[in-house]
Amino acid sequence: MEHTEARPSWDCRACGKPWPCDPAREQLATAMTMTELRTAMWIRLEEAALELPPGPATELFERFLRWAG
Ligand SMILES: [Zn+2]
């Protein structure tokens, strides 16, 4: 199974960890340029912010964007 996000939980379908898990990050980083990656992760972050229970904004930033450079 692919390491993609289950929605609206945003856990990984393959390993059950909060998406993007490490394998998902590797796959994404390999498949895209850094610019594409950051754009894609901003979009996911905005979607996740609407679907996940409210929490600190910094948490989502760390999870979706910080690793993407
Ligand atoms: Zn995973």
Side-chain angles (χ1 to χ4, degrees):
M1 193 176 284
E2 301 243 335
H3 291 268
T4 51
E5 75 279 23
R7 291 168 68 170
S9 71
W10 289 85
D11 291 331
C12 177
R13 290 178 204 274
C15 61
K17 292 184 181 160
W19 192 90
C21 58
D22 287 343
R25 291 177 193 202
E26 260 177 51
Q27 279 175 16
L28 290 162
T30 308
M32 298 184 208
T33 67
M34 196 52 81
T35 308
E36 289 169 342
L37 180 60
R38 291 181 64 99
T39 304
M41 293 314 294
W42 267 117
I43 293 167
R44 300 294 175 81
L45 187 159
E46 285 176 4
E47 290 171 348
L50 295 174
E51 293 177 2
L52 287 172
T58 50
E59 200 175 290
L60 287 180
F61 184 84
E62 293 279 330
R63 174 170 164 183
F64 283 85
L65 273 166
R66 209 165 118 82
W67 65 276

